[in-house]
Amino acid sequence: MFAVYAQEPNAESPLDSLVVGERPEPEVPQGWVRVHVKAASLNMHDLWTLRGVGIKADQFPMILGCDGAGTLDDGTEVVLHSVINAPGWQGDDTLDPKRTLLTEKHQGTFADQVVVPARNAVPKPAGLTFAEGATMGTAWLTAYRMLFVKSGLRPGQTMLVQGASGGVSTALIALGRAAGFRVWVTGRTEEKRALAESVGAHQSFESGARLPERVDAVFETVGKATWGHTLKSLKPGGVVVVSGSTSGPDPSADLQRVFFLQLRVVGSTMGTRDELADLLAYLDLKGIKPQIGAELPLAEAPAGFAAMAAGETAGKIVFTR
């Protein structure tokens, strides 16, 4: 079958390991289902896989793609939940110590077919296209959990999103606006800030800019480059919810500020299967559409990878079949 895959880990030049070609069709284990992929979205995790992060060397070649949407053999339209739990796991899917994401152990979605546990194929609302559904399992689910499960925010409070144009950021903006929060955003360029306002931000600011007032919560995926500004932007008792560190994982903790102002630092990773179902229902009820920055045929995946590696994103990059 046609697929886009990582031939081997390459920490120094990850795009050199990207291959567009043929891979064997997957076998379907008992309790799993085959999904005929219609669309799949690109995530930073795919670049990390090319670098060999979070995956053992003997797992290569690995078909890339953490999430997607498609049809079952009987035609049922589904969105994929990317967290694969150990057999018999009970409780929060994200707390399973043996959990993996697609592409860490099991082959991913950048292919004609992918196999997943039956529970990981979640019915797709008719109001979402396959391309829109393909953005849900990683970026939008991460944003949903950050905002509605981890932050503790109430409607009417103010939130700051660090970074204006990535998939998680645009999802946070749209969800926050729909839920009744005042949404502020920082962005490095005028174009990125304009994009943030077009998807729902009330105000946007240059990266590191002094805000008109402190905020109740900051949503952080950038890490080292924005961490100092994040802590300075919080009200006493505020919360920062962290789900990534694309600029580096090791900023100064600024512990004096943390304990003196009684700030909370909360980690958040992906989301559960039930949270994905709730997210899909919420978008269907609200009529919210994800921001898709580029939609490319899967055969042109290298162009999408190059754009993400260069930081040239304006919402999610989606590959279609």
Side-chain angles (χ1 to χ4, degrees), residues 108-122:
T109 58
F110 292 173
D112 291 333
Q113 301 174 16
V114 65
V115 295
V116 296
R119 74 181 297 270
N120 287 64
V122 181

Side-chain angles (χ1 to χ4, degrees), residues 4-9 17 19 22-24 49 55-64 103 105-108:
V4 175
Y5 61 96
Q7 180 63 44
E8 59 189 4
S17 290
V19 179
E22 296 290 321
R23 295 295 298 156
T49 301
I55 178 174
K56 296 179 179 179
D58 62 5
Q59 294 294 126
F60 291 86
M62 174 60 71
I63 298 173
L64 299 168
T103 74
K105 179 179 178 182
H106 305 287
Q107 301 291 321

Side-chain angles (χ1 to χ4, degrees), residues 231-303:
L231 295 186
K232 291 175 183 176
S233 298
L234 283 170
K235 293 178 179 178
V239 61
V240 51
V241 185
V242 186
S243 71
S245 55
T246 56
S247 68
D250 56 346
S252 168
D254 199 358
L255 291 178
Q256 285 184 311
R257 184 181 297 274
V258 171
F259 70 71
F260 188 73
L261 296 181
Q262 301 184 71
L263 306 179
R264 290 181 294 131
V265 178
V266 178
S268 188
T269 296
M270 296 291 286
T272 69
R273 190 267 185 205
D274 290 343
E275 288 164 5
L276 176 58
D278 290 342
L279 164 64
L280 294 173
Y282 183 64
L283 266 59
D284 201 36
L285 286 168
K286 288 286 190 176
I288 299 171
K289 298 290 186 179
Q291 173 68 25
I292 295 178
E295 190 171 324
L296 302 169
L298 184 58
E300 298 178 17

